[in-house]
Amino acid sequence: DAMVIQNPRYQVTQFGKPVTLSCSQTLNHNVMYWYQQKSSQAPKLLFHYYDKDFNNEADTPDNFQSRRPNTSFCFLDIRSPGLGDAAMYLCATSTQGRDGSTEAFFGQGTRLTVV
Amino acid sequence: GNSVTQMEGPVTLSEEAFLTINCTYTATGYPSLFWYVQYPGEGLQLLLKATKADDKGSNKGFEATYRKETTSFHLEKGSVQVSDSAVYFCALSEGMTGGSYIPTFGRGTSLIVHP
């Protein structure tokens, strides 16, 4: 029944060592999002794809990149992780529903630790 | 732009108490409104939604009514359980045009229920 799947659930990486987080979906939704969430805060949008169109938030650091090779998969690449990048990373999808709403479906998240 | 304002937490209640978490919004169009719940270490799950004025969303004993005149979508539950302890996010999104489909989240309200 899993619809948005993130791997791995927990990732430990070394300071400055590139790391990739992955997300897949079985919903065939055209929009995919990456959020960063730190303790006790709201999710912060990093970027999203509308179909193949990439949309970067203005305050997303260049250290964060993303790839969407097809509808089902999306990757978050952190080129040189710093201690401040330790967070929960959430992938989500959405599309226009029959009721006109655009509900977001979230994965379980990847908890990134930087050592 | 769109925004969502939630009451600050944590909200601490005894089991079987009545719960209200306030949420108000500003939007340029006609948004759909959502409540998401996040359990510790997990992603966000949709709790309920309402797509137009005066609609009531309900799920698992939780309810919220879309009040256009007061731009509010307060979450209520008549009798909370320990298992309801989580962080609750109010959110809105609009249709799939103009970039307004991107969910806008409130800051989240932590609920702690004691036995």
Side-chain angles (χ1 to χ4, degrees):
Chain A
D1 285 341
M3 296 181 288
V4 182
I5 304 165
Q6 291 188 243
N7 283 304
R9 289 290 309 276
Y10 302 93
Q11 175 74 57
V12 180
T13 191
Q14 291 180 336
F15 182 95
K17 183 175 181 181
V19 65
T20 295
L21 310 182
S22 71
C23 177
S24 64
Q25 57 140 332
T26 60
L27 297 164
N28 203 35
H29 284 174
N30 54 336
V31 187
M32 292 187 79
Y33 309 85
W34 279 105
Y35 289 88
Q36 179 192 65
Q37 187 182 30
K38 298 189 174 180
S39 295
S40 307
Q41 296 181 21
K44 178 180 182 297
L45 183 65
L46 296 173
F47 25 59
H48 76 280
Y49 281 90
Y50 189 122
D51 294 324
K52 295 182 180 179
D53 294 333
F54 176 71
N55 299 271
N56 199 29
E57 293 300 297
D59 58 353
T60 298
D62 292 340
N63 198 25
F64 292 86
Q65 306 284 317
S66 185
R67 296 170 283 137
R68 189 179 187 187
N70 54 52
T71 300
S72 301
F73 287 88
C74 196
F75 300 97
L76 170 62
D77 300 309
I78 309 177
R79 293 193 295 187
S80 182
L83 297 178
D85 297 328
M88 174 78 93
Y89 290 88
L90 298 169
C91 175
T93 71
S94 72
T95 193
Q96 180 95 29
R98 290 179 184 172
D99 60 3
S101 69
T102 51
E103 170 191 339
F105 292 79
F106 284 83
Q108 290 187 295
T110 295
R111 170 72 64 187
L112 179 68
T113 301
V114 181
V115 298
Chain B
N2 296 341
S3 68
V4 175
T5 303
Q6 285 181 242
M7 61 187 288
E8 286 203 28
V11 173
T12 304
L13 296 172
S14 298
E15 207 164 25
E16 299 184 3
F18 184 87
L19 168 71
T20 300
I21 300 178
N22 290 338
C23 171
T24 58
Y25 68 91
T26 58
T28 53
Y30 300 93
S32 297
L33 301 175
F34 307 87
W35 278 101
Y36 289 86
V37 59
Q38 185 176 34
Y39 299 102
E42 302 288 329
L44 278 67
Q45 304 172 27
L46 180 70
L47 180 60
L48 54 83
K49 69 177 180 181
T51 58
K52 60 184 187 297
D54 300 324
D55 269 1
K56 178 185 284 188
S58 60
N59 186 26
K60 300 181 181 178
F62 291 89
E63 293 183 339
T65 300
Y66 190 142
R67 301 285 188 202
K68 192 166 186 293
E69 63 276 12
T70 54
T71 62
S72 64
F73 193 55
H74 304 322
L75 182 68
E76 296 182 335
K77 186 175 186 183
S79 177
V80 293
Q81 306 299 313
V82 172
S83 57
D84 294 327
S85 299
V87 180
Y88 292 81
F89 291 93
C90 186
L92 67 81
S93 67
E94 299 186 66
M96 293 297 283
T97 58
S100 54
Y101 52 84
I102 300 169
T104 300
F105 289 95
R107 62 187 297 164
T109 301
S110 175
L111 171 65
I112 302 168
V113 181
H114 293 295

